[in-house]
């Protein structure tokens, strides 16, 4: 049982490049989330999804896009990367709205934009 | 606006020296308060959920308590393996699926 799997673990981008962070979960969870974590700051919600085909913005969605074509996968797309997007990105999942706070996190993807 | 403040930012304890971490929160209608543990280079790991004032939860050397304004994570006789950053998060009834996380307390337990 792998839980939540994120790839890549590390990536360096040049300003203006684009990339996709991959996230997959094998727990049949309906809810999936993308957070970013910056030094000295709490985790901030970027986007979330309550099921396949349904996504919604979180607190800091600008510069990102998501899609949810299957229950298992929730990729995060960065278009036109900027230095402000240098961060550690975490994907998480939960079974239902009632379990919203009991999240299962991946190990993170560390992104540097130069 | 929902807010979470954790203190202290960092705490160093000798092995066996008990202490408490604080999480003060402001939320419009608390739906739940959550404690997580995060090891360096890893994602947060869920520890506890607290729903109402007076509630307590325990797990090994950790005990979480909740009042109407704050939560405490009590660590009894800590061991070096308890060293980690402990995160507090809240969600309100108006916050949909948006957890508000604090910045965490970095705990170091010295042998």
């Amino acid at each position: 049982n792998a839980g939540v799997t994120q790839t890549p673990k590390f990536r360096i981008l040049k300003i203006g490049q684009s990339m996709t962070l991959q996230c997959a979960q094998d727990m049949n969870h309906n809810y999936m989330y993308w957070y970013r974590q910056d030094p000295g700051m709490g985790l901030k919600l970027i986007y979330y999804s309550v099921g396949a085909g349904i996504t919604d913005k979180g607190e800091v969605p600008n510069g990102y896009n998501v899609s949810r074509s299957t229950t298992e996968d929730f990729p995060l797309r960065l278009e036109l990367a900027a230095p402000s997007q240098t961060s550690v990105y975490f994907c998480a999942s939960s079974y239902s709205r009632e379990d919203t706070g009991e999240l299962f996190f991946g190990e993170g993807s560390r992104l540097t934009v130069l | 606006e929902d807010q979470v403040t954790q203190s202290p930012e960092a705490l160093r304890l000798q092995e066996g020296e008990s202490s408490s971490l604080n999480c003060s929160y402001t939320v419009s209608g608390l739906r739940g308060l959550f404690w997580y543990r995060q090891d360096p280079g890893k994602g947060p790991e869920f520890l506890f959920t607290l729903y109402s004032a007076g509630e307590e939860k325990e797990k090994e050397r950790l005990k979480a308590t909740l009042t109407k304004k704050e939560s405490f994570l009590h660590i009894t006789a800590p061991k070096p393996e308890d060293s980690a950053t402990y995160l507090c998060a809240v969600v309100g009834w108006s916050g949909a699926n948006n957890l508000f996380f604090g910045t965490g307390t970095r705990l170091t337990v010295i042998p």
Side-chain angles (χ1 to χ4, degrees):
Chain A
N1 192 349
V4 178
T5 302
Q6 292 183 234
T7 56
K9 292 192 185 307
F10 302 93
R11 182 74 186 268
I12 297 175
L13 281 181
K14 294 183 179 179
I15 294 172
Q17 287 185 321
S18 300
M19 74 159 298
T20 299
L21 300 178
Q22 301 291 345
C23 175
Q25 53 93 8
D26 62 359
M27 297 173 283
N28 200 31
H29 284 173
N30 295 313
Y31 286 63
M32 295 188 74
Y33 313 82
W34 274 105
Y35 284 88
R36 61 177 288 171
Q37 187 175 41
D38 300 301
M41 306 282 287
L43 286 152
K44 300 292 185 184
L45 182 65
I46 304 171
Y47 271 95
Y48 66 96
S49 167
V50 302
I54 306 170
T55 63
D56 208 346
K57 296 178 180 179
E59 190 179 357
V60 289
N62 291 343
Y64 307 95
N65 277 299
V66 294
S67 60
R68 184 98 181 268
S69 57
T70 67
T71 299
E72 294 78 20
D73 300 299
F74 190 41
L76 177 71
R77 178 84 176 161
L78 281 72
E79 303 282 2
L80 298 175
S84 61
Q85 292 178 305
T86 295
S87 187
V88 181
Y89 292 85
F90 288 100
C91 179
S93 70
S94 64
Y95 182 65
S96 68
R97 176 180 172 86
E98 286 69 35
D99 295 327
T100 292
E102 187 173 341
L103 303 183
F104 292 81
F105 282 85
E107 295 209 334
S109 297
R110 181 176 295 274
L111 175 67
T112 301
V113 181
L114 300 175
Chain B
E1 182 179 284
D2 298 351
Q3 286 189 330
V4 175
T5 303
Q6 292 188 247
S7 61
E9 287 186 13
L11 182 63
R12 288 171 64 90
L13 299 174
Q14 290 292 132
E15 184 172 1
E17 179 187 3
S18 302
S19 188
S20 297
L21 313 182
N22 177 264
C23 171
S24 297
Y25 65 90
T26 303
V27 63
S28 52
L30 181 69
R31 179 147 61 102
L33 184 142
F34 311 92
W35 283 97
Y36 283 82
R37 169 192 172 124
Q38 186 173 22
D39 293 303
K42 303 289 186 181
E45 177 185 352
F46 172 78
L47 291 173
F48 302 112
T49 304
L50 300 167
Y51 293 108
S52 57
E55 189 174 359
E56 299 181 352
K57 293 276 180 72
E58 285 189 69
K59 181 180 181 179
E60 297 180 1
R61 294 175 292 282
L62 301 177
K63 180 180 177 180
T65 62
L66 181 64
T67 72
K68 289 186 177 180
K69 293 185 178 180
E70 57 192 349
S71 176
F72 292 94
L73 184 65
H74 306 278
I75 303 176
T76 302
K79 297 182 178 181
E81 53 261 42
D82 294 322
S83 297
T85 296
Y86 291 86
L87 305 174
C88 172
V90 298
V91 62
W93 285 105
S94 62
N97 295 293
N98 197 1
L99 263 72
F100 280 93
F101 280 87
T103 54
T105 293
R106 187 173 68 253
L107 174 67
T108 304
V109 182
I110 304 163

